[in-house]
PDB file of all heavy atoms in Angstrom:
ATOM      1  N   ARG A1298      -2.634 -17.331  65.714  1.00 94.00           N
ATOM      2  CA  ARG A1298      -1.295 -17.165  66.293  1.00 94.00           C
ATOM      3  C   ARG A1298      -1.030 -15.720  66.714  1.00 94.00           C
ATOM      4  O   ARG A1298      -0.480 -15.455  67.773  1.00 94.00           O
ATOM      5  CB  ARG A1298      -0.239 -17.628  65.275  1.00 94.00           C
ATOM      6  CG  ARG A1298       1.200 -17.503  65.755  1.00 94.00           C
ATOM      7  CD  ARG A1298       2.191 -18.055  64.736  1.00 94.00           C
ATOM      8  NE  ARG A1298       2.061 -17.492  63.411  1.00 94.00           N
ATOM      9  CZ  ARG A1298       2.525 -16.290  63.043  1.00 94.00           C
ATOM     10  NH1 ARG A1298       3.133 -15.527  63.914  1.00 94.00           N
ATOM     11  NH2 ARG A1298       2.380 -15.866  61.808  1.00 94.00           N
ATOM     12  N   ILE A1299      -1.458 -14.786  65.836  1.00 94.00           N
ATOM     13  CA  ILE A1299      -1.245 -13.367  66.131  1.00 94.00           C
ATOM     14  C   ILE A1299      -2.272 -12.843  67.128  1.00 94.00           C
ATOM     15  O   ILE A1299      -2.030 -11.866  67.830  1.00 94.00           O
ATOM     16  CB  ILE A1299      -1.295 -12.549  64.818  1.00 94.00           C
ATOM     17  CG1 ILE A1299      -0.153 -12.981  63.885  1.00 94.00           C
ATOM     18  CG2 ILE A1299      -1.186 -11.048  65.078  1.00 94.00           C
ATOM     19  CD1 ILE A1299      -0.261 -12.421  62.469  1.00 94.00           C
ATOM     20  N   GLY A1300      -3.423 -13.508  67.194  1.00 93.00           N
ATOM     21  CA  GLY A1300      -4.481 -13.077  68.117  1.00 93.00           C
ATOM     22  C   GLY A1300      -5.385 -12.015  67.521  1.00 93.00           C
ATOM     23  O   GLY A1300      -5.816 -11.088  68.220  1.00 93.00           O
ATOM     24  N   VAL A1301      -5.675 -12.134  66.206  1.00 96.00           N
ATOM     25  CA  VAL A1301      -6.525 -11.159  65.530  1.00 96.00           C
ATOM     26  C   VAL A1301      -7.668 -11.880  64.819  1.00 96.00           C
ATOM     27  O   VAL A1301      -7.631 -13.086  64.633  1.00 96.00           O
ATOM     28  CB  VAL A1301      -5.718 -10.316  64.505  1.00 96.00           C
ATOM     29  CG1 VAL A1301      -4.687  -9.453  65.219  1.00 96.00           C
ATOM     30  CG2 VAL A1301      -5.048 -11.207  63.457  1.00 96.00           C
ATOM     31  N   GLU A1302      -8.676 -11.096  64.412  1.00 96.00           N
ATOM     32  CA  GLU A1302      -9.841 -11.646  63.723  1.00 96.00           C
ATOM     33  C   GLU A1302     -10.067 -10.904  62.418  1.00 96.00           C
ATOM     34  O   GLU A1302      -9.609  -9.770  62.249  1.00 96.00           O
ATOM     35  CB  GLU A1302     -11.090 -11.511  64.604  1.00 96.00           C
ATOM     36  CG  GLU A1302     -11.011 -12.289  65.900  1.00 96.00           C
ATOM     37  CD  GLU A1302     -12.254 -12.081  66.752  1.00 96.00           C
ATOM     38  OE1 GLU A1302     -13.150 -11.297  66.350  1.00 96.00           O
ATOM     39  OE2 GLU A1302     -12.329 -12.708  67.825  1.00 96.00           O
ATOM     40  N   ASN A1303     -10.810 -11.536  61.510  1.00 97.00           N
ATOM     41  CA  ASN A1303     -11.149 -10.903  60.240  1.00 97.00           C
ATOM     42  C   ASN A1303     -11.859  -9.580  60.487  1.00 97.00           C
ATOM     43  O   ASN A1303     -12.796  -9.502  61.282  1.00 97.00           O
ATOM     44  CB  ASN A1303     -12.050 -11.822  59.411  1.00 97.00           C
ATOM     45  CG  ASN A1303     -12.280 -11.293  58.017  1.00 97.00           C
ATOM     46  OD1 ASN A1303     -11.341 -10.992  57.293  1.00 97.00           O
ATOM     47  ND2 ASN A1303     -13.539 -11.158  57.639  1.00 97.00           N
ATOM     48  N   GLY A1304     -11.401  -8.516  59.820  1.00 96.00           N
ATOM     49  CA  GLY A1304     -12.015  -7.206  59.957  1.00 96.00           C
ATOM     50  C   GLY A1304     -11.471  -6.369  61.099  1.00 96.00           C
ATOM     51  O   GLY A1304     -11.787  -5.184  61.202  1.00 96.00           O
ATOM     52  N   GLU A1305     -10.659  -6.971  61.959  1.00 97.00           N
ATOM     53  CA  GLU A1305     -10.090  -6.224  63.085  1.00 97.00           C
ATOM     54  C   GLU A1305      -9.110  -5.172  62.575  1.00 97.00           C
ATOM     55  O   GLU A1305      -8.423  -5.375  61.579  1.00 97.00           O
ATOM     56  CB  GLU A1305      -9.380  -7.185  64.040  1.00 97.00           C
ATOM     57  CG  GLU A1305      -8.873  -6.530  65.312  1.00 97.00           C
ATOM     58  CD  GLU A1305      -8.330  -7.530  66.326  1.00 97.00           C
ATOM     59  OE1 GLU A1305      -8.542  -8.750  66.146  1.00 97.00           O
ATOM     60  OE2 GLU A1305      -7.687  -7.084  67.290  1.00 97.00           O
ATOM     61  N   ILE A1306      -9.064  -4.052  63.266  1.00 97.00           N
ATOM     62  CA  ILE A1306      -8.138  -2.973  62.935  1.00 97.00           C
ATOM     63  C   ILE A1306      -6.992  -2.998  63.943  1.00 97.00           C
ATOM     64  O   ILE A1306      -7.228  -2.980  65.155  1.00 97.00           O
ATOM     65  CB  ILE A1306      -8.830  -1.600  62.964  1.00 97.00           C
ATOM     66  CG1 ILE A1306     -10.055  -1.578  62.038  1.00 97.00           C
ATOM     67  CG2 ILE A1306      -7.843  -0.485  62.604  1.00 97.00           C
ATOM     68  CD1 ILE A1306      -9.750  -1.821  60.579  1.00 97.00           C
ATOM     69  N   VAL A1307      -5.760  -3.060  63.424  1.00 98.00           N
ATOM     70  CA  VAL A1307      -4.574  -3.117  64.277  1.00 98.00           C
ATOM     71  C   VAL A1307      -3.593  -2.033  63.832  1.00 98.00           C
ATOM     72  O   VAL A1307      -3.810  -1.344  62.837  1.00 98.00           O
ATOM     73  CB  VAL A1307      -3.889  -4.503  64.211  1.00 98.00           C
ATOM     74  CG1 VAL A1307      -4.829  -5.598  64.700  1.00 98.00           C
ATOM     75  CG2 VAL A1307      -3.389  -4.808  62.795  1.00 98.00           C
ATOM     76  N   SER A1308      -2.496  -1.909  64.576  1.00 97.00           N
ATOM     77  CA  SER A1308      -1.368  -1.081  64.166  1.00 97.00           C
ATOM     78  C   SER A1308      -0.195  -2.008  63.878  1.00 97.00           C
ATOM     79  O   SER A1308      -0.137  -3.126  64.390  1.00 97.00           O
ATOM     80  CB  SER A1308      -0.987  -0.098  65.274  1.00 97.00           C
ATOM     81  OG  SER A1308      -2.023   0.824  65.505  1.00 97.00           O
ATOM     82  N   VAL A1309       0.735  -1.535  63.061  1.00 97.00           N
ATOM     83  CA  VAL A1309       1.928  -2.317  62.744  1.00 97.00           C
ATOM     84  C   VAL A1309       3.142  -1.393  62.816  1.00 97.00           C
ATOM     85  O   VAL A1309       3.176  -0.352  62.154  1.00 97.00           O
ATOM     86  CB  VAL A1309       1.837  -2.984  61.357  1.00 97.00           C
ATOM     87  CG1 VAL A1309       3.130  -3.736  61.035  1.00 97.00           C
ATOM     88  CG2 VAL A1309       0.640  -3.936  61.284  1.00 97.00           C
ATOM     89  N   GLU A1310       4.111  -1.807  63.628  1.00 96.00           N
ATOM     90  CA  GLU A1310       5.359  -1.058  63.750  1.00 96.00           C
ATOM     91  C   GLU A1310       6.310  -1.511  62.653  1.00 96.00           C
ATOM     92  O   GLU A1310       6.565  -2.705  62.491  1.00 96.00           O
ATOM     93  CB  GLU A1310       5.985  -1.296  65.123  1.00 96.00           C
ATOM     94  CG  GLU A1310       7.280  -0.542  65.320  1.00 96.00           C
ATOM     95  CD  GLU A1310       7.909  -0.807  66.689  1.00 96.00           C
ATOM     96  OE1 GLU A1310       7.568  -1.839  67.317  1.00 96.00           O
ATOM     97  OE2 GLU A1310       8.724   0.007  67.119  1.00 96.00           O
ATOM     98  N   ILE A1311       6.833  -0.536  61.895  1.00 94.00           N
ATOM     99  CA  ILE A1311       7.745  -0.823  60.792  1.00 94.00           C
ATOM    100  C   ILE A1311       9.134  -0.308  61.164  1.00 94.00           C
ATOM    101  O   ILE A1311       9.331   0.898  61.317  1.00 94.00           O
ATOM    102  CB  ILE A1311       7.294  -0.113  59.487  1.00 94.00           C
ATOM    103  CG1 ILE A1311       5.830  -0.418  59.160  1.00 94.00           C
ATOM    104  CG2 ILE A1311       8.228  -0.482  58.338  1.00 94.00           C
ATOM    105  CD1 ILE A1311       5.543  -1.835  58.762  1.00 94.00           C
ATOM    106  N   PRO A1312      10.113  -1.212  61.323  1.00 89.00           N
ATOM    107  CA  PRO A1312      11.477  -0.748  61.604  1.00 89.00           C
ATOM    108  C   PRO A1312      12.104  -0.177  60.340  1.00 89.00           C
ATOM    109  O   PRO A1312      11.713  -0.531  59.230  1.00 89.00           O
ATOM    110  CB  PRO A1312      12.187  -2.030  62.039  1.00 89.00           C
ATOM    111  CG  PRO A1312      11.471  -3.117  61.305  1.00 89.00           C
ATOM    112  CD  PRO A1312      10.026  -2.673  61.216  1.00 89.00           C
ATOM    113  N   SER A1313      13.045   0.710  60.516  1.00 80.00           N
ATOM    114  CA  SER A1313      13.703   1.334  59.371  1.00 80.00           C
ATOM    115  C   SER A1313      15.208   1.303  59.548  1.00 80.00           C
ATOM    116  O   SER A1313      15.708   1.456  60.661  1.00 80.00           O
ATOM    117  CB  SER A1313      13.227   2.783  59.220  1.00 80.00           C
ATOM    118  OG  SER A1313      13.965   3.449  58.228  1.00 80.00           O
ATOM    119  N   ALA A1314      15.916   1.132  58.453  1.00 73.00           N
ATOM    120  CA  ALA A1314      17.378   1.123  58.497  1.00 73.00           C
ATOM    121  C   ALA A1314      17.949   2.538  58.545  1.00 73.00           C
ATOM    122  O   ALA A1314      19.133   2.719  58.780  1.00 73.00           O
ATOM    123  CB  ALA A1314      17.920   0.399  57.265  1.00 73.00           C
ATOM    124  N   ASN A1315      17.090   3.542  58.320  1.00 77.00           N
ATOM    125  CA  ASN A1315      17.610   4.911  58.269  1.00 77.00           C
ATOM    126  C   ASN A1315      16.867   5.867  59.200  1.00 77.00           C
ATOM    127  O   ASN A1315      16.606   7.007  58.854  1.00 77.00           O
ATOM    128  CB  ASN A1315      17.595   5.433  56.832  1.00 77.00           C
ATOM    129  CG  ASN A1315      16.210   5.355  56.219  1.00 77.00           C
ATOM    130  OD1 ASN A1315      15.234   5.122  56.912  1.00 77.00           O
ATOM    131  ND2 ASN A1315      16.128   5.555  54.921  1.00 77.00           N
ATOM    132  N   SER A1316      16.539   5.379  60.398  1.00 82.00           N
ATOM    133  CA  SER A1316      15.940   6.204  61.461  1.00 82.00           C
ATOM    134  C   SER A1316      14.610   6.833  61.065  1.00 82.00           C
ATOM    135  O   SER A1316      14.317   7.970  61.431  1.00 82.00           O
ATOM    136  CB  SER A1316      16.920   7.307  61.882  1.00 82.00           C
ATOM    137  OG  SER A1316      18.125   6.746  62.311  1.00 82.00           O
ATOM    138  N   ARG A1317      13.788   6.092  60.316  1.00 85.00           N
ATOM    139  CA  ARG A1317      12.453   6.589  59.970  1.00 85.00           C
ATOM    140  C   ARG A1317      11.388   5.590  60.427  1.00 85.00           C
ATOM    141  O   ARG A1317      10.382   5.382  59.744  1.00 85.00           O
ATOM    142  CB  ARG A1317      12.342   6.838  58.468  1.00 85.00           C
ATOM    143  CG  ARG A1317      13.308   7.909  57.984  1.00 85.00           C
ATOM    144  CD  ARG A1317      12.938   8.411  56.621  1.00 85.00           C
ATOM    145  NE  ARG A1317      11.849   9.370  56.735  1.00 85.00           N
ATOM    146  CZ  ARG A1317      11.274   9.941  55.676  1.00 85.00           C
ATOM    147  NH1 ARG A1317      11.651   9.647  54.460  1.00 85.00           N
ATOM    148  NH2 ARG A1317      10.294  10.811  55.840  1.00 85.00           N
ATOM    149  N   ASN A1318      11.619   4.940  61.577  1.00 89.00           N
ATOM    150  CA  ASN A1318      10.646   3.983  62.091  1.00 89.00           C
ATOM    151  C   ASN A1318       9.261   4.621  62.149  1.00 89.00           C
ATOM    152  O   ASN A1318       9.123   5.794  62.509  1.00 89.00           O
ATOM    153  CB  ASN A1318      11.026   3.523  63.496  1.00 89.00           C
ATOM    154  CG  ASN A1318      12.296   2.707  63.512  1.00 89.00           C
ATOM    155  OD1 ASN A1318      12.971   2.552  62.497  1.00 89.00           O
ATOM    156  ND2 ASN A1318      12.627   2.178  64.677  1.00 89.00           N
ATOM    157  N   LEU A1319       8.246   3.832  61.799  1.00 94.00           N
ATOM    158  CA  LEU A1319       6.870   4.312  61.824  1.00 94.00           C
ATOM    159  C   LEU A1319       5.966   3.245  62.411  1.00 94.00           C
ATOM    160  O   LEU A1319       6.224   2.057  62.263  1.00 94.00           O
ATOM    161  CB  LEU A1319       6.376   4.603  60.403  1.00 94.00           C
ATOM    162  CG  LEU A1319       6.613   5.978  59.807  1.00 94.00           C
ATOM    163  CD1 LEU A1319       6.049   6.040  58.393  1.00 94.00           C
ATOM    164  CD2 LEU A1319       5.977   7.058  60.653  1.00 94.00           C
ATOM    165  N   VAL A1320       4.884   3.700  63.036  1.00 96.00           N
ATOM    166  CA  VAL A1320       3.803   2.807  63.418  1.00 96.00           C
ATOM    167  C   VAL A1320       2.603   3.192  62.560  1.00 96.00           C
ATOM    168  O   VAL A1320       2.123   4.330  62.624  1.00 96.00           O
ATOM    169  CB  VAL A1320       3.462   2.908  64.914  1.00 96.00           C
ATOM    170  CG1 VAL A1320       2.240   2.054  65.234  1.00 96.00           C
ATOM    171  CG2 VAL A1320       4.648   2.491  65.776  1.00 96.00           C
ATOM    172  N   PHE A1321       2.162   2.257  61.721  1.00 97.00           N
ATOM    173  CA  PHE A1321       0.984   2.496  60.896  1.00 97.00           C
ATOM    174  C   PHE A1321      -0.249   2.028  61.652  1.00 97.00           C
ATOM    175  O   PHE A1321      -0.324   0.880  62.076  1.00 97.00           O
ATOM    176  CB  PHE A1321       1.074   1.733  59.570  1.00 97.00           C
ATOM    177  CG  PHE A1321       2.024   2.329  58.580  1.00 97.00           C
ATOM    178  CD1 PHE A1321       3.128   1.620  58.149  1.00 97.00           C
ATOM    179  CD2 PHE A1321       1.811   3.601  58.072  1.00 97.00           C
ATOM    180  CE1 PHE A1321       4.000   2.166  57.232  1.00 97.00           C
ATOM    181  CE2 PHE A1321       2.684   4.159  57.151  1.00 97.00           C
ATOM    182  CZ  PHE A1321       3.783   3.447  56.733  1.00 97.00           C
ATOM    183  N   GLY A1322      -1.208   2.933  61.829  1.00 96.00           N
ATOM    184  CA  GLY A1322      -2.498   2.579  62.407  1.00 96.00           C
ATOM    185  C   GLY A1322      -3.483   2.233  61.309  1.00 96.00           C
ATOM    186  O   GLY A1322      -3.159   2.286  60.110  1.00 96.00           O
ATOM    187  N   ASP A1323      -4.691   1.903  61.703  1.00 96.00           N
ATOM    188  CA  ASP A1323      -5.774   1.641  60.747  1.00 96.00           C
ATOM    189  C   ASP A1323      -5.429   0.561  59.726  1.00 96.00           C
ATOM    190  O   ASP A1323      -5.716   0.692  58.535  1.00 96.00           O
ATOM    191  CB  ASP A1323      -6.185   2.928  60.020  1.00 96.00           C
ATOM    192  CG  ASP A1323      -6.656   4.011  60.972  1.00 96.00           C
ATOM    193  OD1 ASP A1323      -7.426   3.676  61.885  1.00 96.00           O
ATOM    194  OD2 ASP A1323      -6.226   5.173  60.820  1.00 96.00           O
ATOM    195  N   VAL A1324      -4.791  -0.503  60.183  1.00 98.00           N
ATOM    196  CA  VAL A1324      -4.457  -1.638  59.313  1.00 98.00           C
ATOM    197  C   VAL A1324      -5.562  -2.678  59.481  1.00 98.00           C
ATOM    198  O   VAL A1324      -5.783  -3.183  60.587  1.00 98.00           O
ATOM    199  CB  VAL A1324      -3.090  -2.250  59.682  1.00 98.00           C
ATOM    200  CG1 VAL A1324      -2.765  -3.415  58.751  1.00 98.00           C
ATOM    201  CG2 VAL A1324      -1.992  -1.190  59.655  1.00 98.00           C
ATOM    202  N   VAL A1325      -6.268  -2.986  58.399  1.00 98.00           N
ATOM    203  CA  VAL A1325      -7.365  -3.946  58.485  1.00 98.00           C
ATOM    204  C   VAL A1325      -6.822  -5.360  58.274  1.00 98.00           C
ATOM    205  O   VAL A1325      -5.973  -5.594  57.416  1.00 98.00           O
ATOM    206  CB  VAL A1325      -8.493  -3.609  57.489  1.00 98.00           C
ATOM    207  CG1 VAL A1325      -8.036  -3.728  56.047  1.00 98.00           C
ATOM    208  CG2 VAL A1325      -9.710  -4.492  57.724  1.00 98.00           C
ATOM    209  N   VAL A1326      -7.312  -6.296  59.090  1.00 98.00           N
ATOM    210  CA  VAL A1326      -6.928  -7.702  58.974  1.00 98.00           C
ATOM    211  C   VAL A1326      -7.953  -8.422  58.102  1.00 98.00           C
ATOM    212  O   VAL A1326      -9.158  -8.320  58.340  1.00 98.00           O
ATOM    213  CB  VAL A1326      -6.860  -8.374  60.365  1.00 98.00           C
ATOM    214  CG1 VAL A1326      -6.523  -9.853  60.230  1.00 98.00           C
ATOM    215  CG2 VAL A1326      -5.854  -7.655  61.260  1.00 98.00           C
ATOM    216  N   ARG A1327      -7.457  -9.137  57.098  1.00 97.00           N
ATOM    217  CA  ARG A1327      -8.317  -9.904  56.206  1.00 97.00           C
ATOM    218  C   ARG A1327      -7.917 -11.374  56.323  1.00 97.00           C
ATOM    219  O   ARG A1327      -6.779 -11.724  56.030  1.00 97.00           O
ATOM    220  CB  ARG A1327      -8.188  -9.392  54.782  1.00 97.00           C
ATOM    221  CG  ARG A1327      -8.671  -7.939  54.658  1.00 97.00           C
ATOM    222  CD  ARG A1327      -8.241  -7.276  53.388  1.00 97.00           C
ATOM    223  NE  ARG A1327      -8.726  -7.975  52.216  1.00 97.00           N
ATOM    224  CZ  ARG A1327      -8.393  -7.635  50.971  1.00 97.00           C
ATOM    225  NH1 ARG A1327      -7.578  -6.643  50.751  1.00 97.00           N
ATOM    226  NH2 ARG A1327      -8.875  -8.311  49.961  1.00 97.00           N
ATOM    227  N   VAL A1328      -8.853 -12.201  56.782  1.00 98.00           N
ATOM    228  CA  VAL A1328      -8.546 -13.603  57.066  1.00 98.00           C
ATOM    229  C   VAL A1328      -9.229 -14.512  56.049  1.00 98.00           C
ATOM    230  O   VAL A1328     -10.433 -14.424  55.828  1.00 98.00           O
ATOM    231  CB  VAL A1328      -8.991 -13.993  58.496  1.00 98.00           C
ATOM    232  CG1 VAL A1328      -8.697 -15.461  58.769  1.00 98.00           C
ATOM    233  CG2 VAL A1328      -8.307 -13.101  59.537  1.00 98.00           C
ATOM    234  N   SER A1329      -8.421 -15.364  55.425  1.00 97.00           N
ATOM    235  CA  SER A1329      -8.935 -16.391  54.516  1.00 97.00           C
ATOM    236  C   SER A1329      -7.865 -17.462  54.376  1.00 97.00           C
ATOM    237  O   SER A1329      -6.674 -17.147  54.311  1.00 97.00           O
ATOM    238  CB  SER A1329      -9.255 -15.805  53.140  1.00 97.00           C
ATOM    239  OG  SER A1329      -9.482 -16.843  52.203  1.00 97.00           O
ATOM    240  N   ASP A1330      -8.269 -18.698  54.296  1.00 97.00           N
ATOM    241  CA  ASP A1330      -7.286 -19.772  54.120  1.00 97.00           C
ATOM    242  C   ASP A1330      -6.735 -19.822  52.698  1.00 97.00           C
ATOM    243  O   ASP A1330      -5.848 -20.620  52.408  1.00 97.00           O
ATOM    244  CB  ASP A1330      -7.875 -21.110  54.551  1.00 97.00           C
ATOM    245  CG  ASP A1330      -7.972 -21.206  56.074  1.00 97.00           C
ATOM    246  OD1 ASP A1330      -7.143 -20.567  56.754  1.00 97.00           O
ATOM    247  OD2 ASP A1330      -8.875 -21.888  56.569  1.00 97.00           O
ATOM    248  N   SER A1331      -7.225 -18.923  51.818  1.00 96.00           N
ATOM    249  CA  SER A1331      -6.640 -18.812  50.478  1.00 96.00           C
ATOM    250  C   SER A1331      -5.528 -17.762  50.441  1.00 96.00           C
ATOM    251  O   SER A1331      -4.933 -17.527  49.401  1.00 96.00           O
ATOM    252  CB  SER A1331      -7.727 -18.453  49.454  1.00 96.00           C
ATOM    253  OG  SER A1331      -8.246 -17.170  49.702  1.00 96.00           O
ATOM    254  N   TYR A1332      -5.241 -17.126  51.579  1.00 97.00           N
ATOM    255  CA  TYR A1332      -4.192 -16.106  51.659  1.00 97.00           C
ATOM    256  C   TYR A1332      -2.866 -16.686  52.128  1.00 97.00           C
ATOM    257  O   TYR A1332      -2.807 -17.802  52.658  1.00 97.00           O
ATOM    258  CB  TYR A1332      -4.578 -14.996  52.650  1.00 97.00           C
ATOM    259  CG  TYR A1332      -5.726 -14.118  52.236  1.00 97.00           C
ATOM    260  CD1 TYR A1332      -6.496 -13.468  53.198  1.00 97.00           C
ATOM    261  CD2 TYR A1332      -6.049 -13.894  50.902  1.00 97.00           C
ATOM    262  CE1 TYR A1332      -7.541 -12.641  52.846  1.00 97.00           C
ATOM    263  CE2 TYR A1332      -7.101 -13.072  50.538  1.00 97.00           C
ATOM    264  CZ  TYR A1332      -7.847 -12.441  51.522  1.00 97.00           C
ATOM    265  OH  TYR A1332      -8.882 -11.620  51.173  1.00 97.00           O
ATOM    266  N   ALA A1333      -1.811 -15.878  51.971  1.00 96.00           N
ATOM    267  CA  ALA A1333      -0.513 -16.122  52.599  1.00 96.00           C
ATOM    268  C   ALA A1333      -0.239 -14.912  53.490  1.00 96.00           C
ATOM    269  O   ALA A1333      -0.573 -13.778  53.127  1.00 96.00           O
ATOM    270  CB  ALA A1333       0.582 -16.268  51.546  1.00 96.00           C
ATOM    271  N   LEU A1334       0.356 -15.133  54.646  1.00 97.00           N
ATOM    272  CA  LEU A1334       0.559 -14.060  55.623  1.00 97.00           C
ATOM    273  C   LEU A1334       1.469 -12.969  55.058  1.00 97.00           C
ATOM    274  O   LEU A1334       2.622 -13.232  54.699  1.00 97.00           O
ATOM    275  CB  LEU A1334       1.167 -14.619  56.916  1.00 97.00           C
ATOM    276  CG  LEU A1334       1.423 -13.586  58.024  1.00 97.00           C
ATOM    277  CD1 LEU A1334       0.109 -12.957  58.485  1.00 97.00           C
ATOM    278  CD2 LEU A1334       2.155 -14.231  59.196  1.00 97.00           C
ATOM    279  N   ALA A1335       0.936 -11.752  54.964  1.00 97.00           N
ATOM    280  CA  ALA A1335       1.717 -10.592  54.524  1.00 97.00           C
ATOM    281  C   ALA A1335       0.899  -9.336  54.760  1.00 97.00           C
ATOM    282  O   ALA A1335      -0.331  -9.346  54.669  1.00 97.00           O
ATOM    283  CB  ALA A1335       2.078 -10.689  53.048  1.00 97.00           C
TER     284      ALA A1335
END
């Protein structure tokens, strides 16, 4: 659904309620049907 694969490195934009929005790079995707999305 997200369009990613196991081991892929992505970035994630994190919104903030106090003007400290950040984009985290180097986020590794780990895929397994024993996981829950988080």
